């Protein structure tokens, strides 16, 4: 298996498992990861997904051995990397837990996630320019959106790697954890998210992503309508009643309308 899956409470951990290839993303790994995550995404028992690799390598990139001999027609007709768009449509919050190297496709995979949590050893980069190509899984688009045009240009045109401190400084990394007990701390973080209303988590994610696609005026209207719609859910009543009653809320009613 190229990806190992484990569910702990409401958190699913998907661990890339190609140590001999430094967790490189070949087509088999892509389909295995995405097809399984699609199923978890539909489960009311899953509130958060964590993508991770090994302690030393999150993912070294796309599998060059698989690509090297292909020509334009093959890449175009296969729509190579096109299936990654399915990953970007996952509604459940997805955390990238990055320890060690996240290069090329590995960096792009991390950027496709909603939050990047990194260990002190994490290293990021888009070195495709050194292979005579450009990023192909959204790197030029997502990196620019995250860190701005000038920094994205500098990183992609130079192909240089950056340490985790710089990655956090420029807004690529959300939070840095110590290497010791890194994944344990990430899972704890993910559990905290997963215990909130899944409906509200999905709505939050959708609203934030919408902000990247529309004007501020249209985005505010979109947000307000989603906000209104949540008042027809049991989780809204549970959350607000729990606040008024000074107790912890118990969210477990994904997609259920109030009676």
């Amino acid at each position: 298996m190229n990806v190992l899956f484990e569910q702990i409470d409401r958190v699913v951990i998907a661990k890339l498992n190609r140590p001999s290839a430094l967790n490189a993303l070949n087509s088999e790994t892509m389909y295995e990861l995405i097809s399984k995550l699609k199923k978890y995404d539909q489960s009311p028992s899953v509130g958060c997904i964590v993508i991770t690799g090994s302690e030393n390598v999150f993912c070294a990139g796309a599998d060059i051995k698989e690509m090297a001999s292909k020509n334009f027609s093959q890449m175009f007709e296969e729509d190579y990397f096109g299936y990654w768009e399915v990953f970007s449509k996952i509604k459940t919050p997805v955390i990238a837990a990055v320890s060690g190297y996240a290069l090329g496709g590995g960096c792009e995979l991390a950027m496709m996630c909603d939050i990047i949590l990194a260990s002190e050893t994490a290293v990021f980069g888009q070195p495709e320019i050194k292979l005579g190509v450009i990023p192909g899984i959204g790197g030029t688009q997502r990196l620019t959106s995250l860190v701005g045009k000038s920094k994205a240009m500098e990183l992609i045109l130079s192909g240089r790697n950056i340490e985790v401190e710089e990655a956090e400084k420029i807004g690529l990394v959300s939070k840095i954890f110590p290497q010791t007990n890194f994944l344990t701390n990430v899972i704890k973080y993910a559990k905290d998210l997963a215990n909130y209303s899944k409906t509200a988590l999905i709505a939050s994610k959708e609203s934030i992503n919408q902000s990247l696609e529309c004007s501020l005026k249209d985005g505010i209207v979109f947000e307000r309508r989603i906000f209104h719609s949540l008042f027809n859910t049991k989780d809204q009543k549970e959350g607000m009643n729990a606040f008024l009653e000074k107790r912890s809320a118990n969210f477990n009613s994904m997609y259920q309308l109030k009676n």
Side-chain angles (χ1 to χ4, degrees):
M1 296 178 66
N2 294 326
V3 186
L4 303 177
F5 295 91
E6 179 183 9
Q7 183 169 350
I8 302 175
D9 296 332
R10 291 177 53 79
V11 176
V12 166
I13 300 139
K15 182 177 181 180
L16 302 177
N17 184 45
R18 298 189 70 208
S20 62
L22 301 179
N23 290 335
L25 300 171
N26 61 2
S27 296
E28 184 180 352
T29 302
M30 175 182 67
Y31 284 108
E32 187 177 329
L33 175 67
I34 296 172
S35 61
K36 195 69 177 287
L37 290 185
K38 284 171 62 180
K39 296 178 182 178
Y40 282 122
D41 190 33
Q42 298 301 314
S43 173
S45 71
V46 176
C48 190
I49 296 167
V50 174
I51 311 292
T52 192
S54 68
E55 183 175 314
N56 298 318
V57 181
F58 173 72
C59 172
D63 195 322
I64 296 171
K65 287 183 179 180
E66 184 178 80
M67 294 186 290
S69 63
K70 292 181 180 290
N71 58 33
F72 166 75
S73 294
Q74 291 171 312
M75 296 293 276
F76 182 73
E77 290 170 13
E78 293 175 24
D79 192 18
Y80 200 81
F81 289 153
Y83 195 58
W84 281 111
E85 289 306 304
V86 178
F87 181 94
S88 69
K89 292 178 172 61
I90 291 172
K91 295 180 179 181
T92 306
V94 183
I95 294 172
V98 179
S99 183
Y101 290 95
L103 305 179
C107 185
E108 291 171 296
L109 173 57
M111 289 191 289
M112 279 191 280
C113 298
D114 303 305
I115 298 172
I116 300 178
L117 303 180
S119 78
E120 298 166 318
T121 67
V123 176
F124 298 85
Q126 297 288 166
E128 288 87 351
I129 198 74
K130 299 177 181 180
L131 302 175
V133 293
I134 69 170
I137 317 179
T140 61
Q141 308 303 298
R142 291 189 176 91
L143 188 61
T144 304
S145 177
L146 287 168
V147 306
K149 175 186 172 182
S150 180
K151 180 55 70 171
M153 283 282 191
E154 191 269 319
L155 292 175
I156 291 172
L157 269 58
S158 71
R160 76 178 179 91
N161 296 341
I162 58 173
E163 304 291 331
V164 69
E165 292 82 8
E166 182 177 355
E168 183 186 38
K169 181 179 179 181
I170 65 177
L172 178 59
V173 164
S174 308
K175 189 176 179 63
I176 301 173
F177 286 101
Q179 179 62 45
T180 304
N181 298 321
F182 170 63
L183 191 56
T184 299
N185 288 324
V186 169
I187 293 171
K188 181 179 183 299
Y189 182 100
K191 283 183 177 181
D192 289 341
L193 264 63
N195 284 328
Y196 293 127
S197 162
K198 185 167 183 177
T199 306
L201 288 168
I202 290 172
S204 298
K205 177 173 174 174
E206 184 175 353
S207 295
I208 292 168
N209 287 333
Q210 182 70 13
S211 74
L212 303 174
E213 306 293 337
C214 67
S215 68
L216 176 61
K217 179 180 178 181
D218 290 342
I220 288 174
V221 172
F222 181 89
E223 175 192 84
R224 191 161 63 245
R225 294 295 177 252
I226 295 294
F227 173 74
H228 293 161
S229 71
L230 292 173
F231 279 73
N232 201 38
T233 65
K234 288 184 176 180
D235 281 345
Q236 174 268 327
K237 294 295 179 276
E238 168 62 15
M240 292 193 174
N241 286 336
F243 176 83
L244 294 173
E245 295 165 8
K246 296 181 172 55
R247 60 176 175 83
S248 297
N250 179 25
F251 298 117
N252 57 12
S253 56
M254 180 184 179
Y255 301 136
Q256 293 181 14
L257 297 179
K258 68 181 182 64
N259 294 323

